[in-house]
Amino acid sequence: MSLFAPGERRIALLAQVAVERSLDRWPDGLTYAVPEALADLRAGERVRVPLGRGDGAVEGLVVRTMPAGADAGVPAAKLKFVECRSASAPPMPVQLVELAQWISAYYVCPVGMTLASMVPAAVKRGTGTVTRTFVDLADGWEAALAAAKRVTAQQRRAVDALHAAPAAERPLELRALRERAGLGTDEPVKRLVEAGVLRQERRSSVEASWRAERALVDAAPALTDAQRGVVESVGATLGCGFSQHLVFGVTGSGKTEVYMQLVRRALDAGKTALVLVPEIALTPQTGGRLLARFPQERVAILHSGLTASQRNQQWNLVARGEVRLVMGARSAVFAPIPDGALGLVVVDEEHDQSYKQDQMPRYHGRDVAIRRAQLAGCPVVLGSATPSLESWFNATERRSSALHVLRSRAPGLRLPTVQVVDFAEERRRFPDRRVHLLGPTLAGAVQETLDGDGQVLILLNRRGYANYIACADPRCGWLMRCDHCDAGMICHALPDAAGGAAGRFVRCHHCQSEQRLPRECPKCARGVTVFGLGVQRVEEELSTLHASLVPGDTMIRIDADSMHDAADFHDALGRFGRGEARLLVGTQMIAKGLDFPGVRLVGVVNADTALNLPDFRAAERTFQLVSQVCGRCGRGADAGRAIVQTFQPEAPAIRLAAAHDYESFAREELALRRRFGLPPWRRMARVVLRDADEERAREDAETLARALAEAAAGDRGVDGARTAAGVRPAVDVAGPAPCPIARIADRWRMQVEITAPGAAELGRFLTASRNAGLLRPGEAMAVDVDPVALM
């Protein structure tokens, strides 16, 4: 059916287009008319459309098409036409478009902004794209060659080179043909093309230097009975539609081997496998193992540490269906795997907080991976030694996920012995009153391990040198804080600095403002002292205590300040794996999934860094961090030893982590969460309002909280009586209240928390509030659904 619009242009279709703008007034996209010349337009294609009063041309993506007579919400006379298709990026698979629509609705983000975040900027810009000429024998080339008036020796060599080339190698790139035929110029080939003997085509491709190191061992080890049970159980669901699985296995139990066996089955079935890891630090090891196990497969690796050309190259390889094994960090969940090709999704270390995006759209990579598997109709496997309580709840309470358990380490490996050290008692053993970060027990164990030719991991989850900068005179009371945030400044040591105040600076870890470390107190002009914890200070103390540890050589620090890109991670882990470095000291980045048989000792400098934060997930994160880092040792012939320093040795998170008792911790923590109506028993959304004026931020938050509470009361209707009787309401609005960090980058922050019994109820309420104009995410308002941090 065709309709007419102004100017007698025929409307072949209507298209809902998501433009790459934050248009929350039309969160699902704008409706455009499609001219007859584009009547074959389909969802997922990129187009250029006019926008605004000036009709400026902007990029957009077709979310869906509708018949010309469908209700567009506006008169046909007012519809604007799609101008043309855009070649800025390949079409997006329809499943990814549907995924973007789900993310937009659930995480309260305009669909255009969501889609824009799914396609790397390097792909849109075509970074690294080159156009090359390829040549092959034309149809009927023999007759054309016989009819040619004159064939030179060079032309004959070109024809012979193509004829001799295996069919799999043809067509040949023009430069390669010249080399094989010994041609000095393109002229002989050009003449053959004109004579109809050869045909040529021009292809665009993305070129980028690539570096991927294969693991030395590529043979699949024999599975344990427990591993085989998991592989058979999950493997039976391949090709049978969507299913969700949680593999809970102690550190070193062989979860990665289970993943690879399942990947093999998916590949054998002709499907594509998608493997997600939480950090780019893990991609060299995991990528190397995949490359070694599947040498015949081309593996695409996607993460933020790639160069622009590499990202474009890898993305296009996936989009063209040229790879069947895709792995990467959080954003790899948006890999443009063709519709119908995805057969398995694996989310390794599914508990990790880095799967959560901290900018719009604030999606959780694990949950998006589950939704992607649902759309693809394939199994999704979540794996961890310390599952998130949400995943554990889904497997043990809701029963929406199948639970598979690996209780023992792989053959030949033993769980480490964990010793919890009361650091308050340790401090009494020091001969002086200087600041010591390593107690006698840990310092002695480090020396013993190094003397025995073992390797060591030392964890302190705090960047910088020291976290307190104050006046040296305790009577003064001055403490250095950020001028722009309600937070203290952190002292950092300059790279290669010899030490002392001249080699240090201070930085705010929230707004990133920096300045030199002051030499004197601005209040009383006395000296300034730095104290507290920081991984750089641990590095300094280790090099002082152990002469064999040389920073940057035999000892490597791994944190966000020292690792600037993926190559830094790759080099550091490679040197440690080869034994060139004896000790790794770092933040939580060293606690995740690393597998080095030479590690005999793990030391946790302070297990309490996150335990007392005003966040209901503090205990869960502490348990996970301590348990995960302790699991990095004992992966060789020796069982290994872990020493955990703490001022709270009886805290359940620390005590149970040391005992490798996740199930008891989960049982106790879930009981507490249920008592207070916290996730995972209820779903949560956190709305943060920001303003340069403190009073205005408070007023806006109060206005929003009242409106949301009224909407929730209206949504409950007769259920209000149950609320009065002490039963928690379907939707509960709490606040407003200042955020724990009340000001960041000169903007005051107030929060309103919304909880509901489940995702469906929370989603409906957020959608209704969004449609009513109450929730408008942007610079002044952030909406975080299923938040993982409340600071």
Side-chain angles (χ1 to χ4, degrees):
M1 176 179 179
S2 295
L3 298 179
F4 291 95
E8 300 299 319
R9 295 184 70 184
R10 290 179 179 271
I11 301 177
L13 295 169
L14 299 180
Q16 190 175 341
V17 177
V19 297
E20 296 185 358
R21 298 288 190 276
S22 180
L23 300 176
D24 208 56
R25 183 178 174 185
W26 300 280
D28 299 323
L30 300 170
T31 302
Y32 286 87
V34 179
E36 288 191 323
L38 299 176
D40 59 345
L41 195 66
R42 295 292 179 264
E45 292 194 76
R46 300 186 68 82
V47 293
R48 291 185 67 81
V49 294
L51 181 67
R53 293 182 179 179
D55 286 341
V58 298
E59 292 273 330
L61 190 137
V62 178
V63 176
R64 66 187 178 109
T65 59
M66 301 164 283
D71 181 13
V74 296
K78 292 188 176 181
L79 287 174
K80 298 180 181 181
F81 276 87
V82 173
E83 293 183 355
C84 61
R85 285 184 169 92
S86 170
S88 61
M92 183 175 285
V94 173
Q95 286 178 4
L96 270 189
V97 177
E98 294 173 352
L99 183 66
Q101 291 175 295
W102 178 81
I103 291 172
S104 171
Y106 185 68
Y107 291 104
V108 193
C109 179
V111 69
M113 181 175 289
T114 302
L115 285 162
S117 70
M118 295 169 73
V119 181
V123 175
K124 300 173 192 175
R125 293 194 300 265
T127 306
T129 301
V130 296
T131 302
R132 298 193 179 281
T133 300
F134 289 80
V135 183
D136 201 354
L137 296 169
D139 293 336
W141 66 273
E142 292 173 307
L145 184 64
K149 293 182 179 180
R150 180 172 177 269
V151 179
T152 67
Q154 289 183 323
Q155 291 172 340
R156 177 67 66 181
R157 290 203 304 272
V159 172
D160 291 345
L162 277 168
H163 190 250
E169 295 182 12
R170 290 168 28 201
L172 291 177
E173 200 268 319
L174 180 56
R175 182 172 55 185
L177 177 58
R178 284 175 49 185
E179 290 176 357
R180 292 193 186 193
L183 306 180
T185 68
D186 298 339
E187 193 63 25
V189 176
K190 181 180 177 182
R191 297 300 180 194
L192 288 170
V193 171
E194 292 173 352
V197 178
L198 304 182
R199 60 179 176 85
Q200 71 176 19
E201 58 182 291
R202 295 179 67 80
R203 295 181 183 175
S204 293
S205 61
V206 181
E207 290 193 347
S209 59
W210 186 248
R211 170 184 181 177
E213 192 167 297
R214 295 178 183 269
L216 296 178
V217 179
D218 61 358
L223 296 177
T224 65
D225 290 342
Q227 287 175 316
R228 187 176 301 106
V230 177
V231 171
E232 293 300 328
S233 179
V234 179
T237 67
L238 290 170
C240 299
F242 171 74
S243 57
Q244 184 174 328
H245 306 266
L246 174 63
V247 178
F248 163 52
V250 298
T251 56
S253 59
K255 294 184 292 295
T256 302
E257 184 57 38
V258 168
Y259 305 152
M260 289 202 286
Q261 294 280 348
L262 292 171
V263 166
R264 162 54 62 205
R265 295 194 178 197
L267 295 176
D268 288 346
K271 292 293 187 177
T272 297
L274 172 62
V275 179
L276 301 182
V277 295
E279 289 271 8
I280 62 174
L282 299 185
T283 52
Q285 274 203 329
T286 310
R289 293 186 67 177
L290 288 172
L291 288 166
R293 181 61 60 85
F294 306 107
Q296 75 285 0
E297 293 289 342
R298 198 169 184 178
V299 180
I301 300 180
L302 302 170
H303 58 72
S304 60
L306 303 180
T307 67
S309 295
Q310 289 170 345
R311 202 170 306 168
N312 189 14
Q313 178 197 53
Q314 298 292 295
W315 201 91
N316 275 278
L317 287 173
V318 178
R320 293 195 299 267
E322 295 181 15
V323 295
R324 296 194 304 145
L325 185 48
V326 183
M327 71 154 294
R330 179 182 60 226
S331 61
V333 74
F334 300 132
I337 298 168
D339 290 326
L342 186 59
L344 174 69
V345 179
V346 175
V347 184
D348 190 22
E349 308 291 356
E350 63 82 27
H351 68 277
D352 199 277
Q353 190 174 342
S354 59
Y355 278 121
K356 188 73 159 78
Q357 169 84 347
D358 60 1
Q359 296 176 337
M360 289 179 64
R362 290 178 167 81
Y363 67 90
H364 198 298
R366 176 198 62 222
D367 298 339
V368 172
I370 293 171
R371 181 59 178 167
R372 178 143 201 202
Q374 287 177 329
L375 293 171
C378 73
V380 58
V381 178
L382 315 178
S384 177
T386 55
S388 65
L389 287 181
E390 283 78 7
S391 295
W392 187 255
F393 179 83
N394 288 337
T396 59
E397 296 287 341
R398 291 185 63 217
R399 308 284 179 173
S400 60
S401 182
L403 178 63
H404 310 272
V405 181
L406 299 172
R407 298 193 182 279
S408 303
R409 282 197 158 186
L413 306 183
R414 291 174 290 167
L415 284 169
T417 302
V418 182
Q419 180 181 0
V420 177
V421 174
D422 185 343
F423 201 64
E425 292 293 330
E426 289 275 291
R427 290 169 65 181
R428 297 189 179 97
R429 297 171 55 188
F430 292 125
D432 53 53
R433 299 187 62 182
R434 292 188 301 108
V435 174
H436 296 270
L437 302 186
L438 275 68
T441 302
L442 179 54
V446 170
Q447 188 63 63
E448 180 182 336
T449 304
L450 295 176
D451 290 344
D453 203 28
Q455 291 178 297
V456 181
L457 291 183
I458 299 293
L459 169 79
L460 175 61
N461 197 27
R462 182 167 285 162
R463 289 165 50 207
Y465 184 84
N467 59 327
Y468 288 102
I469 305 156
C471 180
D473 186 345
R475 296 169 298 178
C476 172
W478 175 78
L479 180 68
M480 189 173 191
R481 298 184 64 79
C482 178
D483 294 333
H484 311 285
C485 307
D486 275 358
M489 298 293 278
I490 307 298
C491 178
H492 284 255
L494 288 168
D496 303 321
R504 298 176 191 161
F505 67 97
V506 295
R507 173 188 292 155
C508 174
H509 284 183
H510 301 285
C511 70
Q512 307 307 316
S513 63
E514 296 180 357
Q515 65 184 75
R516 293 185 69 85
L517 178 68
R519 293 182 178 274
E520 61 182 33
C521 172
K523 187 175 178 180
C524 68
R526 290 182 175 86
V528 169
T529 185
V530 298
F531 57 99
L533 301 172
V535 69
Q536 289 181 325
R537 193 167 197 159
V538 175
E539 180 185 35
E540 179 184 84
E541 186 167 324
L542 283 165
S543 63
T544 302
L545 290 173
H546 309 284
S548 63
L549 296 177
V550 180
D553 185 12
T554 55
M555 174 171 57
I556 301 175
R557 175 167 54 88
I558 293 185
D559 59 13
D561 299 310
S562 59
M563 301 287 110
H564 303 295
D565 54 34
D568 290 338
F569 283 115
H570 186 102
D571 291 339
L573 297 182
R575 289 173 54 201
F576 190 71
R578 293 189 297 270
E580 297 170 13
R582 306 288 306 286
L583 185 146
L584 285 185
V585 55
T587 57
Q588 61 181 348
M589 298 162 78
I590 66 171
K592 302 175 184 180
L594 301 182
D595 187 352
F596 293 108
V599 176
R600 298 181 193 170
L601 174 67
V602 166
V604 180
V605 175
N606 186 344
D608 312 332
T609 51
L611 192 55
N612 298 318
L613 292 176
D615 188 329
F616 71 87
R617 298 185 194 274
E620 180 183 4
R621 282 200 290 270
T622 298
F623 178 94
Q624 290 168 341
L625 186 63
V626 173
S627 180
Q628 288 283 340
V629 74
C630 289
R632 296 313 105 203
C633 65
R635 292 171 177 260
D638 300 308
R641 178 185 181 191
I643 296 174
V644 180
Q645 297 183 159
T646 174
F647 287 98
Q648 303 177 65
E650 294 305 314
I654 295 173
R655 176 172 48 82
L656 293 172
H660 311 291
D661 192 355
Y662 171 82
E663 292 173 83
S664 293
F665 171 78
R667 185 169 54 251
E668 293 181 15
E669 187 69 12
L670 282 174
L672 282 173
R673 302 269 187 97
R674 185 173 196 172
R675 177 182 174 188
F676 293 104
L678 292 169
W681 295 98
R682 289 173 68 82
R683 300 299 279 263
M684 175 184 285
R686 180 180 185 233
V687 184
V688 176
L689 293 101
R690 300 170 289 206
D691 200 287
D693 183 271
E694 182 179 11
E695 188 58 33
R696 190 160 56 236
R698 181 178 291 106
E699 291 173 357
D700 290 347
E702 290 172 351
T703 300
L704 176 65
R706 280 195 302 270
L708 291 173
E710 290 170 4
D715 189 52
R716 286 196 295 269
V718 296
D719 289 343
R722 293 195 297 122
T723 303
V727 178
R728 191 174 297 278
V731 176
D732 191 20
V733 179
C739 295
I741 303 176
R743 183 174 60 109
I744 293 179
D746 293 320
R747 303 181 76 185
W748 296 92
R749 308 165 72 241
M750 299 289 293
Q751 66 182 14
V752 178
E753 291 178 357
I754 306 165
T755 59
E761 295 89 342
L762 180 62
R764 282 195 297 268
F765 181 76
L766 293 178
T767 298
S769 300
R770 184 181 184 182
N771 293 339
L774 300 180
L775 298 179
R776 291 189 175 277
E779 286 297 314
M781 178 187 292
V783 181
D784 191 1
V785 180
D786 298 332
V788 298
L790 300 179
M791 296 299 288

